[in-house]
Amino acid sequence: RKEVEQDPGPFNVPEGATVAFNCTYSNSASQSFFWYRQDCRKEPKLLMSVYSSGNEDGRFTAQLNRASQYISLLIRDSKLSDSATYLCVVTGYSSASKIIFGSGTRLSIRP
Amino acid sequence: DAGVTQSPTHLIKTRGQQVTLRCSPKSGHDTVSWYQQALGQGPQFIFQYYEEEERQRGNFPDRFSGHQFPNYSSELNVNALLLGDSALYLCASSLTAQGQALEKLFFGSGTQLSVL
């Protein structure tokens, strides 16, 4: 079983739609969780951290479910510019912990 | 404020050759991590350097080695290149203090390595 798993997609949704995807992790000792966005042939960029209480940043909402060991990302009122690959990242508490990326979920927003 | 810079941006090598990739971290960062990203895959962790020492290592063979310099910049060396080493190599920097990551990972734009 992979340490971090994501549905590769692609998710193809119309502009304005709400889309959500999950990421599961296998190490119950994992402490820190993030979503990164990666555009084609570009480097990953931090989208948002995922806190135990959940967090929201504009149209983006991230949730953590420790009991079921998954994190989620919800995008409301999707824009064409949201088209990208979304990478789930899981790590431990210490900066010396391994940082594990999922394979990414491809999202394509159509006009 | 300079971000993470990597060089070269593209590189073509043949099987069996050796390659060195370079990375300068974001200003103020002291920790450098290297990742290999094959087409259609997420970044795979190679290793992390802090205080000029390898602190963590992923599942990569000894052909992959690295170094960190006193100015925090880093090199990734790959010996005896294989076709399967063709990938985008990403460098990421962060700040460590008292064993905790104070800042998230910031990535360079990567080096695209093609092995023929």
Side-chain angles (χ1 to χ4, degrees):
Chain A
R1 181 185 173 188
K2 288 185 179 178
E3 292 181 85
V4 178
E5 291 199 70
Q6 294 183 252
D7 181 342
F11 285 62
N12 190 323
V13 302
E15 198 174 5
T18 295
V19 60
F21 25 84
N22 291 340
C23 162
T24 59
Y25 59 95
S26 60
N27 185 352
S28 59
S30 299
Q31 291 290 335
S32 302
F33 309 88
F34 309 93
W35 284 103
Y36 276 74
R37 170 195 168 126
Q38 186 172 29
D39 294 298
C40 189
R41 301 182 185 278
K42 299 285 189 181
E43 73 275 19
K45 293 186 178 177
L46 179 66
L47 178 65
M48 59 196 308
S49 304
V50 187
Y51 304 121
S52 296
S53 56
N55 52 307
E56 186 174 315
D57 183 3
R59 298 182 292 109
F60 297 83
T61 300
Q63 298 278 355
L64 167 63
N65 185 317
R66 285 192 183 275
S68 300
Q69 294 184 203
Y70 75 85
I71 66 172
S72 64
L73 179 67
L74 178 80
I75 306 175
R76 290 181 299 277
D77 187 25
S78 53
K79 311 292 184 190
L80 295 176
S81 57
D82 294 334
S83 296
T85 295
Y86 291 84
L87 297 162
C88 165
V89 180
V90 176
T91 185
Y93 180 69
S94 163
S95 61
S97 303
K98 287 183 184 178
I99 303 168
I100 309 298
F101 280 74
S103 296
T105 297
R106 279 201 299 140
L107 174 64
S108 178
I109 309 297
R110 62 179 188 270
Chain B
D1 179 19
V4 181
T5 58
Q6 290 187 245
S7 63
T9 56
H10 295 79
L11 203 50
I12 300 175
K13 292 285 189 178
T14 56
R15 279 181 297 175
Q17 284 190 311
Q18 178 266 342
V19 69
T20 297
L21 310 182
R22 296 177 177 80
C23 171
S24 291
K26 184 176 184 291
S27 179
H29 284 186
D30 57 8
T31 305
V32 174
S33 304
W34 285 93
Y35 291 81
Q36 179 195 66
Q37 187 174 25
L39 198 62
Q41 299 294 316
Q44 299 294 309
F45 176 71
I46 303 175
F47 41 53
Q48 182 182 79
Y49 276 86
Y50 172 66
E51 293 187 337
E52 301 179 49
E53 290 190 358
E54 183 181 292
R55 180 161 66 177
Q56 276 282 357
R57 189 178 182 93
N59 296 324
F60 279 80
D62 293 343
R63 297 186 297 110
F64 290 77
S65 63
H67 190 77
Q68 185 179 35
F69 300 95
N71 67 353
Y72 309 119
S73 67
S74 177
E75 287 182 350
L76 164 66
N77 300 291
V78 187
N79 295 322
L81 285 167
L82 303 174
L83 296 179
D85 295 332
S86 296
L88 178 68
Y89 288 84
L90 293 162
C91 167
S93 74
S94 56
L95 177 64
T96 296
Q98 297 177 334
Q100 297 180 31
L102 294 190
E103 288 197 35
K104 312 300 184 293
L105 289 177
F106 288 82
F107 283 87
S109 53
T111 294
Q112 184 64 54
L113 173 65
S114 298
V115 182
L116 306 178

